[in-house]
Every structure is written in C-alpha cells, then in structure tokens.
Amino acid sequence: MRRHNVVLRETRSKRTGDVIRTERLLENDALVCYSLDLVTAPILPEKPRSARSADSAETAESAETAGDL
C-alpha cells in the first residue's frame, strides 16, 4: 500500500479572512509498511482554537513549575 501526502500553507486576509494565497510546501509518496486493517480509527476534526489556547497555557504553566524544581 502507498500513501501520498501534500502539505499546503494557506495565507488569509486579516481583514476578510479569505484565502489569498495557497503554497505547496511539501509533497511525498511513500510505501507504507503496515496493514490497511490496522488503520480503522476515524480522523478527528481539528480542536477549536479556544481548546488549543487552553492546552498551550497548561503546557506553559507546567514548564514554569518544572523550572522551579
């Protein structure tokens, strides 16, 4: 089995939020060495920004606490 990946960067207008440019950063084609039967989990949607911000704050707080040791 093979897998093809494309990584794109979208630039958005700060004023309107519209995509004003799309760039291809990376493209690859790879031979996958695992069985397709092992890939059964659904793809989850991206976390909302508020959840990502909370995760980042917790990580920063943990890093500060670890520095105190």
Side-chain angles (χ1 to χ4, degrees):
M1 179 172 80
R2 299 189 75 76
R3 185 171 84 185
H4 185 81
N5 297 310
V6 178
V7 177
L8 303 172
R9 176 184 2 211
E10 292 181 339
T11 304
R12 296 185 175 269
S13 167
K14 289 183 180 180
R15 189 168 49 89
T16 64
D18 295 338
V19 175
I20 57 176
R21 181 175 54 196
T22 302
E23 301 172 74
R24 183 181 305 181
L25 300 179
L26 175 74
E27 183 171 0
N28 73 343
D29 189 50
L31 178 62
V32 182
C33 296
Y34 51 81
S35 170
L36 184 57
D37 297 335
L38 297 175
V39 185
T40 57
I43 297 175
L44 301 175
E46 184 177 344
K47 286 184 178 179
R49 284 195 183 274
S50 59
R52 284 195 303 232
S53 297
D55 289 344
S56 297
E58 290 174 9
T59 303
E61 185 178 311
S62 297
E64 289 175 4
T65 304
D68 293 340
L69 297 177

